[in-house]
Amino acid sequence: MAAFAKSRPSPVLDAASSLLPRRSTDDAPNIANAAPTQSLMGGNPPAGLTHNLLQRRERLQHSDFKIQNLKSTIKSFPSLATTPAVNQTQTSSLVQQSQALYEAGQFVKAVQLLKKAAVEFKATNDALNEAVTLTNLSLSYQQLGQWQEANEAIALSIKVLQTLKDSDSSQEQSQIIAQALDVQGGLEFAQGQTEVALSTWQEAAKIYQYLDDTSALIHNRVNQAQAMQALGNYLQAHKTLISVQQVLQKQADSSVKATGLYNLGNVLRNLGYLNDSQKILEESSSVAKRVGGAIAQSNALLSLGNTTRAQTYAQLSLGNSSSAKDYAKRAIQYYQQAAQIASVTPTTRLQAQLNLLRLLIEQEEFGTAKALLPQIQSQIDNLPLSRTAVNYRINFAQSLSKMIQNEVQPKDVAKMLAQAVQVAKSLKDERTESYALGTLGELYEQIGQLSDAKDLTQQALVKAESIDAQDITYQWHWQMGRILQKQSNIPAATDAYSRAYNALKSLRNDLVAINPDVQFSFRESIEPVYRQYVDLLLQLKENTNQKQDNLLQARQVIESLQLAELDNFFRSPCLLPRVDLDKLVEKEKSTAVIYPIILDNRLEIITRLPGQDTIYRKTTKVPKDVLENTIEQLQKDLPVASREPDVKQHSQQLYDWLIRPIESDLANQGITSLVFVLDGSLRNIPMAILFDKQQQKYLIEKYAISLTPGLQLIDPKPLQNVQLNALVAGVEQKRLIEGKSFSELSNVTQELKQIQSEVKTSKELLNQEFTKTNLQKQIQSTPFSVVHLATHGQFSSDIEQTYIITWDELLKVRELDNLLRDRGESRPETIELLVLSACKTATGDKRAALGLAGVAVRAGARSTLATLWTVDDESTSDFMGELYRQLDAGVTKSQALQRAQLAILAKENRPYFWAPYVLVGNWL
């Protein structure tokens, strides 16, 4: 049978996996025959790290085959052959029993038998079987979260194999070494040692290449791609996956091909390439159907349901509710088809039905959902005792808890969760027991039995902390904080939230998105922890010193949230050399930093003024929905030149909420520059537009303005110390690219000429010359201080919808990021200013400016100047000419922006023409 190993269960599921088989001539190297064992994410407690637990409230239920999804899953490996089997002794019986226990999710018992088998293989000098057994022991320890023991077992396995290296160079031994390296790489990856893991997998790949083992090599490369993604090497990761796809598509139809495409489609979904995932999974389903592989077809249909459901969430986050409904209907159909295939495995049918139930509830189709309940219940009742059985019960209970207003009784849900707790106890599976206890505590919280909820949550916490499972621990601290807050114990609630926040911080690299489910449920499962913690910090009644500490902590928490958002956007940590913003403010005596924080019932404004150790807090009593509706309306009005009266009305309301409470402090300090660390939807509008109705002035008429995504910046450097050397590029003509139509930008040539007349040296790429290849060549060959791109582009909260256009393609943010950062190795000079002069924010996307922040943070430029809507007008050329004149004269970037905007405002007072520009990053 196919060998399979896992490090941690998948973020999206908790697949029951098989161990590496004991050596036997009965096994042939064939990875395709093993039935995929899948599981859900939704109620997956479990076993996995971080992501599978992050979205207990709104999760995708993804299923997955055995080879995929790093950070959680190592691959399925070919079975071993070529050497005579050991005698069918008691030892081989132990191995077979451990395999069955592992697949049944009884990992504690599997460990006991594998330890015994390893000792007996060592006693009979059967080193190869000892090594395989130790590798499987490592996998079992990983399932239990016992990382030290897992490391020791795999290290011993590799040590045993190394002693044989010179004496036995058989193909079988090479295969076992490669598999052990694959398992070791997965373990390293699971513990955050991503670069080490990538190197280990590359060593295994060399062996698979030597053995000409295409299937294992494909799986290995899928692992490598996920590691590359986690390290931020997006292009390299994508190229690796494309090469895997090309290899598979050249193969004749077979179950191996169907399975390989299935695995690839799942990985593409987890990395956020949803359209690609859908195409590949459709192909997998078609191949499986043609070769009569009903099980493979049902697995592909189940995964298609998961990908389509991810697309539902993506469309919702972009404000496309109609499109989201269409995707939801298709996902429902896929799940139904997966469950209806006659020879589908019971686990696949149950997963499909559980996923379908969750989706029907989300779509409020309660009648159809109710009809499913008896079918699911009877299947769950017949499951053998295992971790999988516990996970399914929890998943089912979580769905039922959302139907308590629809004839589902809380006591029935509680009974099911109590059974899950008992099964987990009998398995001695502390991780799963913790998850079952905590979920039961959440049910009691939901129905208002707070004392019981608190007791159960405390029990769940004790279990989670005993195995150092931070990913579960953060959830139970958060849950405890909510319960204590409902009991009006604000100090204790704040302490619980502090623990949840610290647990999330410790998980930062693991929260980095390897999975769409995190991205689309971020606002439900991660963000509330930060915002609710800030809310409590600012409610505490403390003495003056403690109040100041709470303000500093609140500011730090919001900074952490913004970093987490960007990590989640890129699915990779945004690690940059940084300097503290407070230190800069101390040097810049006329600069203030403003941190608005949007809470449910109010807007908090924290201000840092120069020359003072304290920071200040003002509160505006405005409900979140009222604030966000005003911002949303302003965002719609700004790109329409004729709506100036509406713009003024909404912008003066925002001025009164955000600036009026602090304007006397700013005036008393002689402030001339404002730096905003904006929160939430405030990022979608330019602060320059805020209108003071008393003085009849826009904010830009009083202050130079810039934005920064956080409290720290790339090492700042005043531009007057840098010679302006510009790469200017643009597309003027109408283009049709990837099915999207882009209108002519008739003023681009004039804009580029205007810039070239103001800078000392420049290079131009216009229309056909502006290709990705030419842009890359220029950036790598010349130390440009300014890169100015006058071309259509879009900012979105969806990384795949954030791009600029070159002559012949959409240059997406991941590629732009790689292209601009590539210069770092060949030319260490930093780009001082990146200008994107014809971009816009995605219509309907409330968090579209996250895309701009992502570009600004990852492009490696000290500052990014961009437009929030496209203005194809002579005023853009005039604005750019004035901007570069001012920069050449030696003023700061924010002052240059202010003067250029005022020059346009003096001729044309409609904000449409002068207000779209925002400066992100270093304002000096």
Side-chain angles (χ1 to χ4, degrees), residues 591 624 665 696 903:
T591 300
K624 180 180 179 180
D665 297 327
Q696 289 292 297

Side-chain angles (χ1 to χ4, degrees), residues 45-228:
L49 184 86
T50 325
H51 304 294
N52 57 335
L53 300 174
L54 293 182
Q55 356 296 281
R56 293 187 316 117
R57 286 174 170 67
E58 299 295 334
R59 287 189 244 211
L60 297 173
Q61 333 260 312
H62 292 320
S63 74
D64 208 16
F65 185 132
K66 321 184 150 178
I67 71 155
Q68 132 178 346
N69 224 4
L70 256 60
K71 202 114 190 171
S72 45
T73 315
I74 307 186
K75 305 308 77 155
S76 108
F77 306 112
S79 304
L80 311 176
T82 74
T83 4
V86 295
N87 294 330
Q88 294 299 311
T89 61
Q90 186 181 0
T91 309
S92 62
S93 174
L94 288 174
V95 172
Q96 289 163 1
Q97 289 174 55
S98 67
Q99 172 90 14
L101 289 165
Y102 186 97
E103 291 176 347
Q106 299 190 24
F107 304 114
V108 172
K109 290 181 180 177
V111 162
Q112 292 168 353
L113 295 188
L114 286 165
K115 284 168 73 174
K116 191 173 180 183
V119 170
E120 293 183 12
F121 281 130
K122 184 174 183 179
T124 57
N125 294 317
D126 187 346
L128 281 182
N129 272 320
E130 181 191 357
V132 170
T133 304
L134 288 166
T135 299
N136 288 339
L137 181 60
S138 175
L139 295 173
S140 300
Y141 278 132
Q142 290 174 53
Q143 290 289 354
L144 294 167
Q146 296 179 16
W147 304 107
Q148 183 178 339
E149 291 86 348
N151 282 313
E152 288 169 356
I154 195 64
L156 186 54
S157 173
I158 289 172
K159 184 178 179 182
V160 169
L161 290 166
Q162 285 172 338
T163 62
L164 296 173
K165 219 168 188 177
D166 298 329
S167 60
D168 183 353
S169 58
S170 70
Q171 283 201 341
E172 181 185 28
Q173 182 186 319
S174 298
Q175 193 99 32
I176 293 171
I177 291 170
Q179 291 169 348
L181 288 169
D182 261 335
V183 171
Q184 184 179 43
L187 182 54
E188 288 160 348
F189 191 94
Q191 296 172 99
Q193 301 165 25
T194 310
E195 290 182 78
V196 180
L198 181 58
S199 175
T200 302
W201 279 321
Q202 286 167 342
E203 284 300 308
K206 291 175 189 173
I207 300 173
Y208 290 135
Q209 282 175 313
Y210 165 74
L211 296 171
D212 197 24
D213 189 339
T214 305
S215 294
L217 188 58
I218 283 172
H219 300 161
N220 175 282
R221 283 186 173 153
V222 167
N223 274 341
Q224 288 189 43
Q226 294 180 87
M228 292 166 189

Side-chain angles (χ1 to χ4, degrees), residues 725 763 777-785 823 827 829:
N725 176 19
K763 170 68 180 175
K777 280 180 186 171
Q778 289 298 326
I779 284 176
Q780 289 183 344
S781 64
T782 308
F784 293 109
S785 55
R823 136 208 192 100
R827 307 212 61 88
E829 302 89 349

Side-chain angles (χ1 to χ4, degrees), residues 740-766:
K740 299 177 191 286
S741 180
F742 298 95
S743 61
E744 178 187 3
L745 293 171
S746 55
N747 288 280
V748 164
T749 300
Q750 182 184 343
E751 178 180 330
L752 299 189
K753 294 283 179 256
Q754 185 83 279
I755 296 163
Q756 289 173 293
S757 69
E758 299 296 342
V759 299
K760 294 181 174 60
T761 54
S762 64
K763 170 68 180 175
E764 180 183 276
L765 299 174
L766 181 62

